[in-house]
Amino acid sequence: MGRRLVPLTLDNLKDLPQRCRSCVFWELDPVTAEAAVRDGTAEVEKESWISAVLLDWGSCGRVAYVDDVPVGFVLYAPAAYVPRATAFPTSPVSPDAVQLITSFIMPGYQGQGLGRMLVQAVAKDLLRRNFKAIEAFGDTRWKEPACLLPADHLLAVGFKTVRQHSRHPRLRLELRSTLSWKEDVEMALDRLLGAVHKEPALRPL
């Protein structure tokens, strides 16, 4: 199989699953997101967000391909570009960190190391840009695919809790530690961004 990771741009945004292209859970504040969904403008808002972040900050995602078939993606950005990040009781994300927004691997391609490849690509990109960590808001009551990743799986891949909460703790992965990930952590990453997502990690619209 030929595998490759490509930076997310407006040109390959179409390679994300349809519901991902029109999901603005993270990209807009709750009120504006609800209005965009109601008015049918969510996909346009998503494109506008990607365009603005690319122009202002740079690369904010990776798309994974196997034999030229898009099979997964990861999205990340500083919390200043993620309005929903302020809506959590454990906000804000640390200024030296970038938020892991969302990610998923298509069913049928899980458990093949693609999730690990995506996270490592993010880590390498952010290290080059002088960031120290990746942070994410976990869900301690995770039961099915959603925009938030399950807290226990984030912990399993090396994230540490930096602000505790009964439902939505904020967790942090020090980027330097990714340079020495061991096999057990790599397997955990596959579970986090692979098998744990039997369907795309999306917020129902």
Side-chain angles (χ1 to χ4, degrees), residues 46-65:
K46 182 86 164 195
E47 292 180 3
S48 296
W49 184 87
I50 296 288
S51 178
V53 176
L54 286 171
L55 287 171
D56 192 39
W57 185 67
S59 181
C60 60
R62 292 289 186 275
V63 183
Y65 297 86

Side-chain angles (χ1 to χ4, degrees), residues 26-191:
W26 290 109
E27 292 83 357
L28 300 175
D29 66 82
V31 173
T32 307
E34 183 178 348
V37 171
R38 183 181 61 248
D39 297 340
T41 61
E43 189 163 345
V44 173
E45 293 285 358
K46 182 86 164 195
E47 292 180 3
S48 296
W49 184 87
I50 296 288
S51 178
V53 176
L54 286 171
L55 287 171
D56 192 39
W57 185 67
S59 181
C60 60
R62 292 289 186 275
V63 183
Y65 297 86
V66 174
D67 294 334
D68 295 324
V69 176
V71 299
F73 76 98
V74 63
L75 194 64
Y76 57 98
Y81 297 94
V82 189
R84 179 77 64 158
T86 64
F88 290 86
T90 51
S91 300
V93 170
S94 303
D96 63 349
V98 166
Q99 183 181 346
L100 175 63
I101 298 174
T102 192
S103 181
F104 97 97
I105 302 296
M106 291 281 289
Y109 292 91
Q110 299 164 0
Q112 301 177 19
L114 292 168
R116 179 175 69 251
M117 288 175 58
L118 284 170
V119 173
Q120 289 178 332
V122 173
K124 290 177 182 177
D125 178 37
L126 297 180
L127 279 169
R128 286 194 297 265
R129 295 158 80 171
N130 297 318
F131 287 94
K132 293 183 178 181
I134 303 171
E135 292 191 359
F137 296 100
D139 186 352
T140 62
R141 304 176 193 172
W142 191 96
K143 293 182 179 179
E144 59 186 13
C147 282
L148 276 78
L149 296 170
D152 58 344
H153 285 279
L154 289 167
L155 291 168
V157 303
F159 280 77
K160 305 295 183 183
T161 302
V162 291
R163 189 168 180 188
Q164 188 60 260
H165 187 264
S166 60
R167 181 66 189 271
H168 296 308
R170 177 162 49 90
L171 303 103
R172 178 180 175 97
L173 177 67
E174 298 294 339
L175 289 174
R176 292 295 175 185
S177 69
T178 65
L179 300 178
S180 59
W181 275 335
K182 298 184 183 294
E183 183 178 353
D184 57 341
V185 176
E186 293 176 345
M187 291 175 63
L189 279 168
D190 288 341
R191 293 197 301 271

